Amino acid sequence: MKVEISSLSGDLRAEEFFDWLAECDQLYKYTRISYSKMVKTLGFKLKHEALVWWDRLLKTRRWEGKRPIET
């Protein structure tokens, strides 16, 4: 069975964003993939403003010497 996660562009309303998170959470509970793999996988589903935000967050954490995001 192949399951596709929709992309997140960053221009969603709060309700749509929480629906997307719930969809992702259900998928990963069903497939039993670790949260660290989930974080890496979902990074590929980000588009536009969401991708810019995620990239900036990762770079800031590296610059501050913080650990990578795993959950």
Side-chain angles (χ1 to χ4, degrees):
M1 179 169 103
K2 183 177 179 178
V3 179
E4 184 70 27
I5 298 172
S6 57
S7 294
L8 180 67
S9 65
D11 58 355
L12 300 174
R13 294 188 329 256
E15 298 86 15
E16 294 168 329
F17 171 70
F18 288 122
D19 287 345
W20 182 80
L21 282 179
E23 174 188 339
C24 295
D25 194 46
Q26 286 179 339
L27 174 65
Y28 284 96
K29 284 181 182 177
Y30 176 74
T31 59
R32 297 184 180 157
I33 294 174
S34 70
Y35 276 105
S36 62
K37 285 186 181 180
M38 179 175 74
V39 168
K40 291 176 185 176
T41 302
L42 292 180
F44 288 106
K45 301 309 287 184
L46 302 177
K47 306 287 183 210
H48 310 296
E49 293 91 351
L51 182 58
V52 171
W53 167 80
W54 181 249
D55 187 51
R56 188 177 304 133
L57 177 66
L58 295 179
K59 287 178 182 177
T60 300
R61 289 183 64 85
R62 276 194 299 262
W63 183 76
E64 293 175 346
K66 295 181 179 177
R67 294 180 35 165
I69 298 171
E70 297 179 356
T71 60

